[in-house]
Amino acid sequence: MTEPSKPFPSDSTVVSFPSGALDAEATVRHVLAVAGRYGLICDATPFHPEDHTWPDQPGDQGVVAAGGHEFQVLDSVIAAAHRGTGELWVAGDIPVRRGDPDWSWHVVHVVADDPRDLLGERVRLSVDPERRAGLSAGHTGCELVGPALNAALRDRWRKDAGLDSLGAPDFDKIAIVSSRIGLHGSVDRYRMGKSLRRKGFTADGLADVLGDLQAQVNGLLAEWVAADVPVVVRTDGPSLADVRRFTCEVRQGPVVALCGGTHVATTGELGRVVARLELVDDGRELVLGTSTGGAAT
Ligand SMILES: [Zn+2]
């Protein structure tokens, strides 16, 4: 935990990454120590921070510039400050879920050089555009492959299960254990154990039809990319604490998911999305690798 040097700002950071922003001017409100480095908190930012509860998309990198000096932003993470006690926690140490109203929520720009001279100053915040573009493509591919997988697996449910926004049992939400987004790709892992069986999913013979399932998933992805439909992040408000939703209208209906990340503007920008399914750990885990156009070869 880091002790605030003065009463901590009670307003959550205003964020512009949901609309795809890469640059902004802002005022530095706080400097804190973060694991041997410094953390810089501003009143507003275009930087996307890694979420502490569901760390799927890595934090943005880039530059904070002021008075002819440039500070390299090595990572972006979340800090939460309790409104009553002022206690402040960073990233994985935060004891509550993002958006808890008893806490204010902040984007921390992690820098190596001492930025304390910047306190109260106006600065220019610039996200590394190439890296952001790769992560946005990877994240959009990841949001689309979930419903595509749900559709391919929909006949394997023997009991009612929660449905996704296209009306298929939401295997992606029910079975997922982790999701990692990289540049132009993602890896989702699903647990195929007893609890999934109890919920009514049958994994019998899955290994034998994995190629067919993969082809179905890739067929849907190809259709959605060819349709070149808009991808929009809808927000309930301007701050980091507000709920954000990935929204994309495909032929089958609206793909909608709670999502704190960044995305491309249309599905066509992805160029091509290819999914690969693999059963590992004696069939106890299903691994879904997804890559989009522009991926390093
Ligand atoms: Zn997401």
Side-chain angles (χ1 to χ4, degrees):
M1 188 176 130
T2 311
E3 287 299 322
S5 56
K6 60 177 185 172
F8 203 77
S10 59
D11 297 337
S12 297
T13 308
V14 170
V15 292
S16 49
F17 62 79
S19 67
L22 294 166
D23 293 279
E25 271 193 22
T27 302
V28 177
R29 296 175 62 175
H30 206 83
V31 172
L32 59 157
V34 181
R37 291 179 163 142
Y38 297 91
L40 204 104
I41 292 174
C42 303
D43 56 348
T45 188
F47 280 72
H48 168 265
E50 181 173 277
D51 193 289
H52 67 292
T53 38
W54 185 248
D56 54 353
Q57 181 175 339
D60 278 330
Q61 299 172 355
V63 171
V64 177
H69 281 83
E70 283 198 347
F71 294 79
Q72 295 297 321
V73 178
L74 309 169
D75 195 5
S76 305
V77 295
I78 291 180
H82 191 273
R83 294 186 189 279
T85 64
E87 67 179 290
L88 173 67
W89 300 92
V90 176
D93 293 334
I94 299 172
V96 291
R97 291 187 72 85
R98 176 163 54 79
D100 187 313
D102 290 337
W103 300 68
S104 61
W105 295 88
H106 309 273
V107 176
V108 180
H109 310 82
V110 178
V111 297
D113 300 331
D114 188 344
R116 277 175 288 189
D117 285 352
L118 297 182
L119 258 179
E121 298 293 318
R122 291 293 281 174
V123 294
R124 181 100 210 148
L125 300 164
S126 304
V127 176
D128 176 340
E130 240 176 77
R131 185 167 179 279
R132 162 70 76 76
L135 292 171
S136 293
H139 202 147
T140 305
C142 185
E143 290 295 349
L144 293 176
V145 80
L149 180 63
N150 290 343
L153 295 175
R154 68 183 304 156
D155 294 337
R156 290 186 158 263
W157 291 88
R158 288 175 280 103
K159 294 182 190 169
D160 285 343
L163 304 180
D164 69 13
S165 65
L166 297 183
D170 203 343
F171 174 88
D172 176 59
K173 184 176 179 186
I174 295 164
I176 199 161
V177 287
S178 76
S179 179
R180 290 284 181 273
I181 289 153
L183 302 178
H184 304 281
S186 61
V187 177
D188 295 316
R189 294 178 176 275
Y190 304 93
R191 179 106 324 244
M192 309 297 285
K194 281 196 199 108
S195 91
L196 188 63
R197 256 205 311 275
R198 272 197 299 274
K199 286 173 184 158
F201 183 82
T202 174
D204 299 348
L206 196 63
D208 301 330
V209 296
L210 218 51
D212 293 342
L213 291 172
Q214 185 176 294
Q216 281 181 58
V217 170
N218 282 324
L220 273 174
L221 291 171
E223 179 195 323
W224 295 344
V225 169
D228 193 21
V229 288
V231 175
V232 178
V233 177
R234 300 199 192 285
T235 64
D236 287 357
S239 91
L240 181 62
D242 291 308
V243 169
R244 294 180 284 283
R245 287 181 185 79
F246 170 94
T247 313
C248 177
E249 186 87 27
V250 296
R251 181 177 59 84
Q252 293 80 357
V255 176
V256 180
L258 286 174
C259 178
T262 67
H263 297 282
V264 297
T266 71
T267 56
E269 278 183 36
L270 297 173
R272 185 160 180 249
V273 185
V274 178
R276 187 167 181 276
L277 285 168
E278 191 183 359
L279 278 165
V280 300
D281 194 15
D282 280 336
R284 286 188 287 264
E285 190 171 85
L286 179 68
V287 181
L288 171 60
T290 308
S291 58
T292 71
T297 50

